[in-house]
Structure formats: C-alpha cells, structure tokens
C-alpha cells in the first residue's frame, strides 16, 4: 500500500544517512493530505527516528483530533512523554488507551512506568502486576512448570517482565541474595548437591540458587 511504501522509503533513507530526505517526503504528503490521520502516524515515526520529538508530538495530537479512537496515536504520544520524563502526561495518554481497550498490555505497562516516575509506587506495582499476571489459556499447573526449557509456561510472563524493565523500570528485592562461608572437607561436594548449577572455578564468582528439594 502507499502508506507502507512511504514508511519503508523513509526507513531506507534514515538508514542510508539521509534523514532530511525522509522528512521532506513525509511532509510533502502531509500537505497533500491534511485530513489523513494514518499518515500522521507515519510522520510521527519519521520524526521520532530523526529525534524531532516536538514535531512527532504535534502530528500525533493532530492524528488524535482527526480520529479520537486512534489508540496507536495515544500510545506513541505517551511513549514520547515517558521518554522525556513528562510522567503526568504519559499517565493521561495511557489511561486514554485503557479507557478504550481495558486489556491493552502496552498501555498498562506505560501506566505503570508513568506512576513510578511520579513516585506513586503502590499504584505502579499494582499496574505492573496486572500486566504480568497469567493470561487466559496459560498453563499454570505445577506439572507444566517442572521443566528447565526456556519456552515453558512462564515464558510469556518472563518476556513481559524483561520488556517492562527494559522500557520502564524494575524493582529488585535484594534480601534474597545471601552470603555463606563454607569450609572443611567435602564442603564443595555438599554445596554441589544443594545448588541448581555448577560451582565457579577457584578465583571466580558465580550466582547460585539453592533448590527447594
């Protein structure tokens, strides 16, 4: 389609080190189609790629004015606000998406980050828990969990948690990390029985987990 071709050409220009060409192309189309909300999304992506966030914000606001059901525009606008630490505005955009699509995972994650940015920790944790909770159809039985495969039943939740920390924020409970000094004959062999993993070589460090059984 024409919009896809426009976005593809813009991406190629930017990768080729020609951001001005990508910008000029999309702005010509904006002038030719002033009422096209979808075109403004493409323009926003182009402006974001060339690090012109004020222009991206402007065209996203125009897209919302043209189509107030455009949840992609709300989401992108919220991400811009979050990236510039305008947390209250990011919260507003995330809530606008959730008002239209209550189960929207990315909006839930954005809301959690926006609340954390405002140091509203309890609310942020609640939102992240809702984002990371088991989805319909997930097999949460103990039998399904007894595997070391990376694609186990928790794989989706683990991916979501990693993306939340990558894109927003994370909280790590440090008291679970303990130090013990073990010494004496057979200490290493005894420790190998307890640990889910191999011991580090002499002079090296390792993070080890004690198995339940």
């Amino acid at each position: 389609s024409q919009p896809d071709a426009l976005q593809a050409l813009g991406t190629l220009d930017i990768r080729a080190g020609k951001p001005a060409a990508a910008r000029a192309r999309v702005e010509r189309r904006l002038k030719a189609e002033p009422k096209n909300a979808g075109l403004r999304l493409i323009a926003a992506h182009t402006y974001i790629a060339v690090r012109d966030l004020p222009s991206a914000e402007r065209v996203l606001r125009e897209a919302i004015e043209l189509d107030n059901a455009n949840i992609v525009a709300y989401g992108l606008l919220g991400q811009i606000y979050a990236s510039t630490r305008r947390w209250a505005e990011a919260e507003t955009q995330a809530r606008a998406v959730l008002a239209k699509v209550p189960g929207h995972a990315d909006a839930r994650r954005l809301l959690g980050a926006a609340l954390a940015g405002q140091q509203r920790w309890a609310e942020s944790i609640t939102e992240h828990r809702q984002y990371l909770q088991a989805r319909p159809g997930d097999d949460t039985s103990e039998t399904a969990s007894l595997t070391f495969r990376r694609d186990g039943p928790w794989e989706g939740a683990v991916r979501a948690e990693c993306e939340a920390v990558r894109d927003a924020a994370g909280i790590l409970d440090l008291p679970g990390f303990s130090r013990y000094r073990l010494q004496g004959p057979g200490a290493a062999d005894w420790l190998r029985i307890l640990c889910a993993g191999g011991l580090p070589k002499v002079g090296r460090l390792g993070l080890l987990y004690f198995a339940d059984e």
Side-chain angles (χ1 to χ4, degrees):
S1 65
Q2 288 187 350
D4 290 339
L6 179 65
Q7 189 162 2
L9 287 171
T11 300
L12 289 173
D13 280 336
I14 291 167
R15 289 180 177 176
K18 304 175 185 176
R23 182 177 186 131
R25 184 182 294 107
V26 77
E27 288 179 348
R28 285 196 298 270
R29 289 290 300 277
L30 286 174
K31 289 180 180 178
E33 301 180 49
K35 300 297 183 181
N36 189 328
L39 183 57
R40 272 148 181 77
L41 292 179
I42 295 174
H45 283 291
T46 301
Y47 288 134
I48 290 170
V50 300
R51 306 189 191 289
D52 183 356
L53 297 186
S55 293
E57 179 181 347
R58 172 178 54 79
V59 293
L60 287 170
R61 288 190 172 281
E62 292 172 357
I64 291 170
E65 289 177 5
L66 291 167
D67 178 9
N68 65 7
N70 193 329
I71 61 172
V72 176
Y74 286 107
L76 275 176
L77 192 54
Q79 290 175 30
I80 289 174
Y81 291 147
S83 69
T84 53
R85 299 182 181 277
R86 295 158 65 182
W87 299 116
E89 292 168 283
E91 177 188 355
T92 299
Q93 300 306 316
R95 291 194 186 281
V97 175
L98 290 169
K100 300 176 187 303
V101 186
H104 198 288
D106 287 341
R108 186 74 63 188
R109 181 175 61 185
L110 175 62
L111 178 56
L115 293 169
Q118 298 173 74
Q119 299 185 9
R120 291 157 62 184
W121 305 116
E123 295 173 80
S124 176
I125 290 170
T126 297
E127 294 301 328
H128 277 110
R129 280 178 176 165
Q130 290 188 51
Y131 172 68
L132 296 172
Q133 68 185 357
R135 307 299 199 270
D138 285 353
D139 187 349
T140 58
S141 67
E142 183 177 359
T143 301
S145 300
L146 295 178
T147 175
F148 286 104
R149 291 180 59 86
R150 291 182 178 272
D151 58 352
W154 56 81
E155 192 269 342
V158 171
R159 183 196 307 116
E161 183 175 357
C162 291
E163 290 174 351
V165 173
R166 180 195 67 189
D167 298 338
I171 299 175
L172 178 62
D173 185 10
L174 289 176
F177 292 85
S178 305
R179 290 183 178 183
Y180 299 95
R181 182 183 295 275
L182 302 176
Q183 58 187 7
D189 291 334
W190 180 78
L191 192 57
R192 287 189 183 95
I193 296 172
L194 292 180
C195 294
L199 297 183
K201 296 179 180 180
V202 175
R204 302 300 298 271
L205 296 176
L207 179 62
L208 301 178
Y209 297 91
F210 284 1
D212 291 339
E213 299 178 0

